């Protein structure tokens, strides 16, 4: 993981709260609905619902995904390993 990625992510976490992240997720899902319906991948009455998402250990992002889509979270062991390998 590059130092620039860590700096960007730290700045994002400082400037974004759970409510703002949930708005972003909702906007993404709405745009996916429209695109999938326009291309015929979904019927007009269907909504895009991801089967899973990749998230991090940030509780605000996890809560936003759970409340917006109702997903179960599964811990990713790789994230913990990568975090332990990062040096700034």
């Amino acid at each position: 993981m590059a130092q620039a990625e860590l700096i960007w992510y730290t700045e994002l976490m400082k400037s974004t709260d759970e409510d703002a992240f949930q708005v972003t997720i909702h906007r993404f899902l709405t745009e996916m609905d429209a695109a999938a319906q326009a291309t015929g991948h979904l019927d007009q009455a269907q909504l895009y619902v991801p089967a899973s998402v990749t998230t991090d250990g940030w509780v605000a992002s996890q809560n936003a995904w759970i409340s917006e889509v109702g997903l179960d979270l599964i811990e990713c062991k790789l994230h913990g390993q990568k975090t332990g390998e990062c040096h700034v």
Side-chain angles (χ1 to χ4, degrees), residues 16-30 58 60-70:
T16 305
D17 61 12
E18 189 172 324
D19 292 335
F21 196 75
Q22 187 165 349
V23 168
T24 301
I25 293 170
H26 183 78
R27 186 177 339 124
F28 163 74
L29 293 172
T30 300
W58 187 35
S61 66
Q62 293 176 354
N63 288 343
W65 275 111
I66 291 169
S67 62
E68 191 63 33
V69 207

